[in-house]
Amino acid sequence: MELLPGELEQIKAETAEILQQHGTERQELIPIIQEIQERLGYLPKPAMEQVARALDIPEVDVYSVATFYNQFRLNPPGKHQIKVCMGTACHMMGGHIVMDSFERRLEIKEGETTPDREFSLERVACVGCCALAPVVLVDEKVEAKVSPIRVDGILLTFEIEKSEQEKVEEKEQQEGGVEE
Amino acid sequence: MSIADKYNAIRIAAVEKIDKMKEKPHVLVGTATCGRAAGALTILDVFREEADKHQLDIIIDEVGCMGHCYAEPLVVIAKPGFPTLCYGPVDEGIAKRLVVDFLVNDDPCYDFAIAALEPNDEFPTFEDFPRGVIEKKIILADCGFIDPNDIDHYLARDGYAALAKVLEMEPYAVIEEVKSAKLRGRGGAGFPTGVKWERCFKAEGSPKYVICNADEGDPGAFMDRAILESNPHQLIEGMIIAAYAIQASTGYIYVRAEYPLAVARLRNAISQAREKGLLGDNILGSDFSFDVIIFQGSGAFVCGEETALIESIEGKPGVPNHRPPYPATCGLYGKPTVINNVKTLSYVPHILRKGADWFRSIGTENSPGTAVFALAGKVVGTGLVEVPMGTTIRELVYDVGSGIKDDKMFKAVQIGGPSGGCLPESSLDLPIDFDSLQEAGAMMGSGGLVVLDEDDCMVEIARFFLDFTQKESCGKCTFCRLGTKQMLDILTDITQGKGSLEDLNILQDLAEDVKMGSLCSLGKTAPNPVLTTLKYFRDEYEAHINEGRCPALMCKDLITYIIIPEKCSKLCDVCIGSCPTEAIYTRPDMLKAIYLDKCVKCNNCMVACPPQYKAVIKVSPPIVEEKEETVEGGKEDE
């Protein structure tokens, strides 16, 4: 994934700061990359290289830990993260149908991000709300008892939000133009 | 000051504080993750706003999970002069009424109440319902009734009393007590906890470690999360006692990163325990020092296996190692380490406070105590339950869980998650304990119990669990890595109607091989769902293979959605709007029908069709269109 202008500098600065807080013991590796992901949203390649150098371990060790655990992602997440629960209870109550609906609506497969980086779609093992199955985590919010119709509703909310925001921006631009 | 005096001082201070609080009306809102998903935080805000509006002098507290998930969001109101009542599900309207009618005026709104908490002349208690009769709460007893963010609530209920007692005992006497209680590990395998501690106690090496395994990865299980979010101090007390018994100085709680609220409440609990001198250097003025570190797991199911968990804390990929040596002698950083599950450690304070005899008097002879289950699936009373060992599955499903949803037929229970198995109706009278479940081919596991009804396809269930274990296999052992993949391919074929009878034999053989050829229990138990479904539901496999039919109408490739013209109404076209692919059209006679080639089988129309018509049905085997050959997987809809 191409880095945006200025992103590399930000990655380097954040990683350096995190490394300083944690020290350079091997057992700090997972907490370090957890924090990098928390701040940057994902694990960029330059950050992993920097961690390897600081901990004095081969780069492949960082990569192997990052790819072993499901929590870590190597690609930037979408602006809105959709996580469909695929635990037993959710599966039984139609979680796979919900996943299908998102895949169809967003035209991406599970684990992918839409080309405009608006949405990313993931599966999670179980969020522990089995009594409210099927469950979808939209950003940090838990949506309970989701049906395919609700999927359309969720996406429509974002669409409306976005178009309204664009309208506001347009208006601001126009007004700005008038003032000039 | 002696240990007992020190403890009594902090306990009495806590009791006084709580007693003072009890003089005022008290509102408890369950805001564990499950409650939050149901909207508990909004309810909490409503109570706070309304209380402000009416200038009420009341206390509003966030508590954990009471276990009655079917009625979330739950609210408990204790007003002096009235029985303490539990309400649910509470929406904003009910919340406002409770404030105005009950807290401002004196009408307890019995219409919205589920039960009272203590016996009274006005309203039935939880114990008056079948669920309450069977349930016996030990480690869940305080969950949902105490504020997990305030250590004084726990202290006021004799919290940390066991610790104060233990610190004046010999470490080995603590181990003897736990051994005599016959406490068995609640992580799934049921290994005697006391024996594990004894091994670690006798092992050479220093420092020693205690690790709490809170990497609850089973899909469909949420007991550990609820305990961590509802009563973190119970676990911390258990950990300190374990540490004292084996003389460890450092403990780790390995908790899933997917449980942010549990992590936050644990952190807070640990720092409060430190402030009170219950954790850290010279606990309660004794010579014993111990501290706890929280380690967040990163979403790998295999890390629930103890040797993999240790690797993970050491900063490596969580790949299991050979046992022996067991972690009790050679664990974290090569030092003796005790690893116990959240529930196991949570029992420890109770056992030391009330004695081994008391614990042994509950449950069965070889599995004393209680079992905690996360009851989910097609059962009315979903939630968290704690029953004595030896309770039958029938009691659990029909009495505790109040039976099957929507009057459907019971088909099976899936017990123990991906390592467990599916037990049919004939096993309903099986008593639940470690040994009898193992004999039936299932497993206690960590306590997930999913109820399945006639609409659930057993082949699909087996495929689902295998898909999970196959993805989570760490890849170390060939049989687990490749064997599960082959099994999954075969099962996928069967659910798509492409299987053969020969496949069933291959499946059986492969399952035995994977069991034999895997190092850790992930691989050793991965075939269980397949083996049990093959044993009890072979007819369903055969229907898929021989007739291309899914008896439960669940396997997408083997069903077709149709609209029955006799039931459809000319006046209604809800289904047309619900269809995401414009596959439903209006026939010349104004009734609706489905283009089979456009249908993606999303189930929308079936949900949308009003209950008075119920015109959309599923049929299996699928209808194949005569004129046009449908392309497999459906056509792209532009």
Side-chain angles (χ1 to χ4, degrees):
Chain A
M1 191 72 84
E2 287 280 311
L3 294 179
L4 306 169
E7 206 179 342
L8 184 64
E9 288 70 32
Q10 190 208 349
I11 290 170
K12 279 188 171 165
E14 296 266 9
T15 310
E17 201 186 309
I18 293 165
L19 281 167
Q20 212 165 23
Q21 285 167 7
H22 281 272
T24 54
E25 296 287 324
R26 167 77 203 230
Q27 66 261 33
E28 291 294 327
L29 175 58
I30 293 175
I32 288 172
I33 55 178
Q34 274 173 342
E35 204 172 326
I36 293 176
Q37 172 152 312
E38 204 181 301
R39 289 212 210 166
L40 299 174
Y42 72 115
L43 290 179
K45 199 170 154 218
M48 288 197 279
E49 289 164 356
Q50 203 173 334
V51 171
R53 274 196 305 276
L55 268 58
D56 198 20
I57 51 174
E59 285 171 9
V60 67
D61 280 12
V62 181
Y63 185 74
S64 93
V65 168
T67 49
F68 182 86
Y69 295 100
N70 299 333
Q71 188 195 3
F72 300 114
R73 52 184 310 150
L74 306 182
N75 283 319
K79 202 169 131 200
H80 301 293
Q81 294 182 47
I82 293 165
K83 295 173 184 162
V84 183
C85 180
M86 285 295 186
T88 317
C90 289
H91 181 75
M92 291 303 101
M93 305 295 278
H96 55 292
I97 293 177
V98 174
M99 179 61 102
D100 284 351
S101 307
F102 274 113
E103 286 186 342
R104 194 171 51 243
R105 280 287 179 228
L106 296 172
E107 295 175 351
I108 50 172
K109 293 265 167 246
E110 133 194 6
E112 292 178 353
T113 306
T114 49
D116 59 0
R117 287 210 198 177
E118 274 291 314
F119 295 100
S120 54
L121 184 62
E122 280 166 68
R123 65 151 64 202
V124 285
C126 182
V127 289
C129 306
C130 306
L132 303 163
V135 170
V136 177
L137 275 170
V138 180
D139 295 328
E140 290 304 308
K141 192 167 168 274
V142 181
E143 290 273 350
K145 299 186 180 169
V146 178
S147 66
I149 297 169
R150 180 74 196 121
V151 169
D152 295 349
I154 293 169
L155 295 179
L156 194 65
T157 320
F158 285 126
E159 236 170 71
I160 293 171
E161 231 170 63
K162 199 185 162 194
S163 69
E164 272 180 6
Q165 210 179 343
E166 274 168 7
K167 260 185 216 162
V168 172
E169 274 168 22
E170 225 170 79
K171 215 175 163 188
E172 275 173 7
Q173 262 182 1
Q174 275 175 0
E175 279 171 5
V178 172
E179 270 172 38
E180 270 172 32
Chain B
M1 210 156 53
S2 74
I3 292 169
D5 292 341
K6 262 208 158 138
Y7 169 72
N8 275 330
I10 55 172
R11 194 186 70 92
I12 288 165
V15 171
E16 277 171 7
K17 176 177 153 189
I18 301 299
D19 280 348
K20 213 168 200 173
M21 282 166 78
K22 277 188 185 154
E23 289 165 11
K24 291 182 191 173
H26 216 123
V27 177
L28 307 175
V29 183
T31 56
T33 303
C34 41
R36 290 182 177 199
L41 289 181
T42 325
I43 301 302
L44 185 69
D45 288 342
V46 172
F47 272 104
R48 291 208 169 123
E49 278 167 24
E50 291 291 308
D52 276 350
K53 217 197 268 172
H54 298 279
Q55 295 181 323
L56 290 173
D57 184 23
I58 58 170
I59 296 167
I60 300 170
D61 262 336
E62 286 185 52
V63 293
C65 174
M66 278 178 51
H68 293 264
C69 302
Y70 58 92
E72 298 266 28
L74 280 162
V75 173
V76 173
I77 299 183
K79 184 172 177 178
F82 292 91
T84 306
L85 290 163
C86 177
Y87 300 88
V90 176
D91 60 24
E92 290 178 43
I94 296 178
K96 282 181 184 162
R97 274 199 58 187
L98 284 172
V99 174
V100 178
D101 290 359
F102 188 16
L103 294 170
V104 177
N105 299 310
D106 280 336
D107 170 16
C109 303
Y110 287 127
D111 289 354
F112 307 130
I114 314 175
L117 297 187
E118 60 268 334
N120 62 82
D121 299 332
E122 312 282 331
F123 206 76
T125 62
F126 279 117
E127 282 69 32
D128 296 328
F129 295 98
R131 174 171 170 160
V133 173
I134 294 173
E135 265 196 300
K136 165 113 190 121
K137 289 193 175 186
I138 300 174
I139 56 174
L140 295 184
D142 292 339
C143 292
F145 302 111
I146 60 171
D147 182 354
N149 284 321
D150 186 352
I151 189 171
D152 287 330
H153 284 249
Y154 183 66
L155 281 166
R157 294 195 178 213
D158 284 333
Y160 291 102
L163 175 67
K165 184 176 160 192
V166 161
L167 289 174
E168 288 180 307
M169 288 163 71
E170 285 296 315
Y172 194 73
V174 180
I175 296 176
E176 292 272 89
E177 188 77 11
V178 174
K179 259 176 89 177
S180 139
K182 286 195 185 172
L183 174 65
R184 296 174 70 170
R186 265 30 180 198
F191 189 81
T193 306
V195 177
K196 200 186 249 184
W197 289 12
E198 188 178 26
R199 274 191 200 165
C200 189
F201 178 78
K202 290 184 175 160
E204 305 235 339
S206 165
K208 292 179 181 175
Y209 296 99
V210 175
I211 299 176
C212 168
N213 184 349
D215 190 43
E216 185 177 50
D218 276 20
F222 52 92
M223 305 77 52
D224 295 354
R225 174 185 62 68
I227 294 171
L228 295 173
E229 289 176 353
S230 310
N231 196 355
H233 287 289
Q234 180 178 256
L235 167 70
I236 294 168
E237 186 181 5
M239 266 186 99
I240 307 172
I241 295 171
Y244 180 77
I246 62 158
Q247 293 291 298
S249 54
T250 309
Y252 285 87
I253 301 178
Y254 189 98
V255 55
R256 291 177 78 195
E258 288 93 328
Y259 288 173
L261 185 64
V263 173
R265 288 190 173 167
L266 266 176
R267 277 195 208 289
N268 181 41
I270 289 172
S271 73
Q272 288 186 349
R274 279 194 198 123
E275 273 168 35
K276 299 264 181 198
L278 296 161
L279 203 58
D281 290 337
N282 301 97
I283 293 174
L284 287 172
S286 68
D287 305 332
F288 179 64
S289 303
F290 176 70
D291 214 341
V292 176
I293 298 166
I294 294 178
F295 190 94
Q296 293 193 48
S298 323
F301 178 63
V302 71
C303 286
E305 208 281 338
E306 52 183 19
T307 55
L309 190 150
I310 288 172
E311 291 283 307
S312 180
I313 294 183
E314 291 176 359
K316 295 178 231 163
V319 177
N321 280 317
H322 225 285
R323 291 184 302 182
Y326 286 93
T329 51
C330 177
L332 188 62
Y333 307 120
K335 304 293 181 194
T337 306
V338 154
I339 302 182
N340 281 136
N341 175 271
V342 174
K343 286 170 285 283
T344 318
L345 288 168
S346 295
Y347 282 109
V348 169
H350 298 278
I351 290 172
L352 283 145
R353 203 163 65 218
K354 298 179 194 161
D357 293 335
W358 162 81
F359 190 73
R360 272 204 319 273
S361 71
I362 302 162
T364 63
E365 202 194 332
N366 290 320
S367 307
T370 54
V372 179
F373 284 103
L375 208 53
K378 308 287 177 65
V379 64
V380 177
T382 49
L384 205 61
V385 302
E386 183 170 2
V387 293
M389 290 276 187
T391 307
T392 63
I393 300 176
R394 186 186 298 278
E395 286 171 313
L396 203 57
V397 174
Y398 286 95
D399 294 334
V400 178
S402 315
I404 312 295
K405 268 183 199 163
D406 304 329
D407 292 325
K408 298 262 181 172
M409 284 275 291
F410 171 90
K411 187 185 266 181
V413 288
Q414 207 290 333
I415 192 164
S419 334
C422 295
L423 299 177
E425 195 163 6
S426 59
S427 305
L428 269 178
D429 291 309
L430 205 67
I432 294 170
D433 64 52
F434 289 102
D435 308 310
S436 63
L437 285 179
Q438 201 117 37
E439 264 167 50
M443 205 175 135
M444 191 79 175
S446 55
L449 195 144
V450 183
V451 178
L452 309 173
D453 71 6
E454 55 190 292
D455 294 337
D456 295 317
C457 169
M458 301 313 287
V459 186
E460 168 58 25
I461 305 276
R463 196 202 62 77
F464 166 76
F465 280 113
L466 210 66
D467 180 49
F468 179 81
T469 33
Q470 193 270 324
K471 284 201 178 98
E472 292 294 338
S473 170
C474 76
K476 183 167 184 163
C477 309
T478 316
F479 279 98
C480 178
R481 184 181 67 242
L482 299 176
T484 54
K485 176 86 180 97
Q486 294 304 321
M487 289 172 71
L488 179 63
D489 286 348
I490 294 173
L491 284 171
T492 310
D493 276 351
I494 295 176
T495 56
Q496 293 174 347
K498 291 185 277 185
S500 71
L501 280 177
E502 176 59 19
D503 282 345
L504 296 185
N505 295 331
I506 302 176
L507 210 51
Q508 184 92 31
D509 287 349
L510 265 172
E512 304 290 346
D513 293 344
V514 172
K515 272 191 153 187
M516 297 279 285
S518 302
L519 184 63
C520 79
S521 42
L522 187 148
K524 278 194 166 77
T525 59
N528 280 352
V530 179
L531 286 171
T532 48
T533 46
L534 264 177
K535 184 172 164 192
Y536 298 116
F537 300 95
R538 203 182 172 89
D539 55 324
E540 288 200 22
Y541 281 88
E542 285 167 356
H544 281 75
I545 292 167
N546 294 336
E547 303 165 45
R549 178 173 69 90
C550 175
L553 302 173
M554 193 178 181
C555 296
K556 250 184 163 182
D557 293 285
L558 301 182
I559 56 169
T560 304
Y561 282 81
I562 52 169
I563 295 173
I564 308 172
E566 290 78 25
K567 288 190 173 179
C568 183
S569 163
K570 290 178 182 177
L571 304 173
C572 160
D573 51 10
V574 177
C575 53
I576 295 185
S578 77
C579 181
T581 57
E582 292 169 18
I584 305 181
Y585 62 99
T586 311
R587 307 195 315 192
D589 58 3
M590 299 304 285
L591 298 176
K592 318 298 170 299
I594 300 174
Y595 288 121
L596 297 186
D597 57 336
K598 277 191 179 178
C599 175
V600 290
K601 300 171 187 175
C602 71
N603 208 41
N604 261 357
C605 50
M606 198 153 167
V607 177
C609 187
Q612 65 266 39
Y613 305 131
K614 278 191 185 162
V616 182
I617 59 159
K618 297 187 273 190
V619 291
S620 183
I623 298 168
V624 182
E625 276 188 307
E626 283 162 17
K627 288 177 201 163
E628 233 183 321
E629 279 283 318
T630 38
V631 183
E632 243 184 48
K635 276 180 184 168
E636 285 287 322
D637 175 48
E638 295 303 326

